[in-house]
Amino acid sequence: MSKKQNDGLSRRQFLRGSALTAAGTTILNSGLLAHAESPTSNAVGPGPVPITLRINGKDHDLSVEPRTTLADALRDTLHLTGTKVVCDRGACSACTVWIDGIPVNSCLTFVLDVGQREVTTIEGLGTPDHMHPVQAAFVEYDAAQCGYCTPGMVMSTAALLKSNPNPTLEDVQHAVSGNLCRCGTYPKVFAAALAAARKGA
Amino acid sequence: MIAKFQWQDARTVQDAIAQLDGTSMVKAGGIDVMDRLKEGLDSPATLVNIRTIPGLDQIREDATGLHIGPMVTLDQLDKNETVRASYTALADAAGHAATPHIRNVATVGGNILQRPRCWYFRNEQFHCLKKGGDRCFAQDGENEYHAIFGNQICAIVHPSAVAVALLALGATFEVTGKRGERQVPSEQFFVRPDEDVHREHTLAADELLTAINIPKPASGTRSAYMKLGEKESFDWPIAEVAVVLGARPGVVLGAAAPVPWRAVGAERILAGNPINEDTARAAAKAALQGATPLRNNSYKLPIFETIVRRTILAAARA
């Protein structure tokens, strides 16, 4: 596994800076998910591979096969079962976690692909005693029925409010457009999201 | 359960290419690869991760046009101001694919190179023509989402939305192999079933798609994209179209054929006439000429005709 960047200047920032110096060109957009580290060029696996995952602010050492998804590593190895696996194909987003703050489907993420990036799960958002404002709003507005979609809905909503503190109803609908709720509790999810925004989530 | 494989974080393009020996698979965003592995369609010895190669995730504009790295995400294309302003059809094609979370990860290269979504192809139980079998199950089967053009041998629809826009915008793909780079016009990149039913593109097993180049549009060029599906999110289109209006009009249909399908008849009408309701209607009609719908998908024809007309008018207003 690659070593951590401790020099205060990430490789990505370096690349972004150096690309700007190319004559006559302007970098318009740099990858949000791509962290160019210095990986080994040797193949690992197919058996268990020791890795360190940074989850909810803490490093976790674990041993995983390359075929393991992030969702399965979180649930089965680390017992962080707040992240739900429903469709296992990216169609329902119940498994939504953040990687470096960006909502993604953990069922479609190979755990080895996480690298040095930081994972945030529903457990890292808040606790029963200190709920995140979005979690509190979901409770207040009764925005859960069977509850399977709820962690994903909360992660998608909280990610939206991070980048857009004053969303419209349409913004909320767009942000959770990948999150399926078979109970159909969408109106309460929208109400909870807008209420959390009003309270400054 | 996914079959076991080795994992390799590639360091450079050449490092990745050196690993491509026919038993390995390239992983970009991993969306399609994950699905194929979970469905048991592929069992590579090694997955070569190209997300670790620096510099492939950038969008750059210069005097010749737009240069897009293969690892640029669909979300980046959707949100990029230059892409949205000058290459609108591409931004809208990227922004309407899948879901927000998938667009955060799915790459433009992976979108172009993903395998078809035909439910017979995706089902391990159906040994179809494309997988080395002897028949296309869609010909007499459940074919409501299948091709209406070029569907006589294999009736898949090409799955890439961004390819539809890229073809209309006249993009060129930079392909890198062991012996260097080659530039392939997007129109020559995709392979029809009558050319080779087992593949959808000309990329060799030991080559990488390393850049997508779009020529700078002449001033006054406008473009638009429209998709119609059964639902707004996480759904494949029933019909989609990209239209470019300008010196070289482009009309390309998606979810229509095994390759992104240029509607040459429509382009001809747009090239010689002012764009208005009448010419848009005539071009839309021309776009569907020669269609060969299957038993369950002739409903696609009026849908295509409608969205082609609307997209032409939307591009004219853009």
Side-chain angles (χ1 to χ4, degrees), chain A residues 33 41 67 107 113 156 177, chain B residues 2 8 38 51 101 104 233:
Chain A
L33 284 175
S41 63
R67 61 178 169 171
C107 79
D113 205 11
S156 298
S177 62
Chain B
I2 297 174
Q8 184 140 13
K38 283 184 177 175
R51 206 179 53 75
H101 298 0
N104 282 338
S233 180

Side-chain angles (χ1 to χ4, degrees), chain B residues 111-183:
Chain B
N111 186 274
I112 293 166
L113 298 171
Q114 67 184 307
R115 299 301 311 271
R117 302 288 168 164
C118 167
W119 46 35
Y120 296 110
F121 175 76
R122 288 274 158 175
N123 189 324
E124 199 184 2
Q125 307 295 322
F126 287 91
H127 191 52
C128 76
L129 200 57
K130 189 169 264 306
K131 291 188 287 197
D134 58 8
R135 61 181 285 214
C136 168
F137 293 91
Q139 300 295 337
D140 305 311
E142 300 297 332
N143 50 31
E144 52 265 50
Y145 301 121
H146 286 79
I148 56 167
F149 288 104
N151 51 8
Q152 287 78 9
I153 296 169
C154 158
I156 65 153
V157 293
H158 196 276
S160 173
V162 300
V164 173
L166 290 171
L167 215 72
L169 291 162
T172 297
F173 298 149
E174 179 192 280
V175 169
T176 306
K178 289 191 170 81
R179 289 177 303 280
E181 298 162 13
R182 58 190 178 102
Q183 302 288 334

